[in-house]
Amino acid sequence: PLDKSRIERVVLCTGKVYYDLLEARRNREMQDVAIIRIEQLYPFPHDDFDTVIAEYPQVKTCYWCQEEPQNQGAWDQIKHRFRSLHEAGIPVQYVGRPSAAAPATGYVQVHKEEQNKLIDQALTGHIDTTMNRRG
């Protein structure tokens, strides 16, 4: 359990990436990052979401983290649902793989490197914009 008054960043996600984020946060002994797993995307549970977010009064930034490429995961369908955060002046940033035609790179090592990088960025808030494009 974390001291909710110390939470400054919230990482929002869905699916398996939650467990990777949780493991990394525990291994790094980070006490200022909450991870919220959203499993019901539609209809979006606005009231439940607002109730959970209200438990973290010190939050300054939120990150949506997904392991799928940007155009294949939930981000494009959910980013407009964070109305209460936007109204409170809390930005929500995307952290994940760039848009791509394929769901994976095809190389296990590249996938692992990308996964580690997106987990690190989501937890630390240090976003590397070069990851959001391939080329």
Side-chain angles (χ1 to χ4, degrees):
L2 301 173
D3 178 354
K4 293 180 180 181
S5 67
R6 293 183 59 203
I7 302 298
E8 295 184 0
R9 286 186 311 282
V10 170
V11 178
L12 307 166
C13 65
T14 188
K16 181 186 90 56
V17 73
Y18 169 82
Y19 297 103
D20 295 338
L21 288 161
L22 185 62
E23 180 181 8
R25 186 187 69 188
R26 286 178 178 161
N27 289 341
R28 298 173 188 199
E29 299 179 0
M30 298 178 84
Q31 300 293 313
D32 63 343
V33 181
I35 304 167
I36 299 173
R37 183 177 176 183
I38 301 171
E39 287 305 317
Q40 180 177 321
L41 301 177
Y42 185 83
F44 189 78
H46 288 287
D47 293 339
D48 292 340
F49 179 76
D50 292 346
T51 298
V52 171
I53 287 296
E55 295 177 11
Y56 304 101
Q58 303 301 322
V59 169
K60 295 177 178 70
T61 53
C62 287
Y63 302 93
W64 175 263
C65 183
Q66 67 183 37
E67 58 187 339
E68 301 87 0
Q70 187 170 358
N71 60 321
Q72 296 179 28
W75 174 245
D76 284 337
Q77 284 71 44
I78 198 170
K79 61 187 173 188
H80 64 285
R81 304 283 186 203
F82 303 126
R83 174 182 67 237
S84 59
L85 294 172
H86 297 298
E87 290 172 355
I90 300 170
V92 181
Q93 293 182 298
Y94 171 80
V95 177
R97 292 178 169 82
S99 294
T105 65
Y107 299 100
V108 172
Q109 188 58 35
V110 172
H111 177 80
K112 287 180 182 178
E113 289 171 10
E114 287 179 350
Q115 187 78 357
N116 290 336
K117 191 172 185 177
L118 71 89
I119 296 297
D120 182 64
Q121 289 181 33
L123 292 176
T124 65
H126 299 122
I127 309 301
D128 177 4
T129 57
T130 61
M131 183 172 166
N132 291 331
R133 61 182 187 270
R134 288 194 175 127

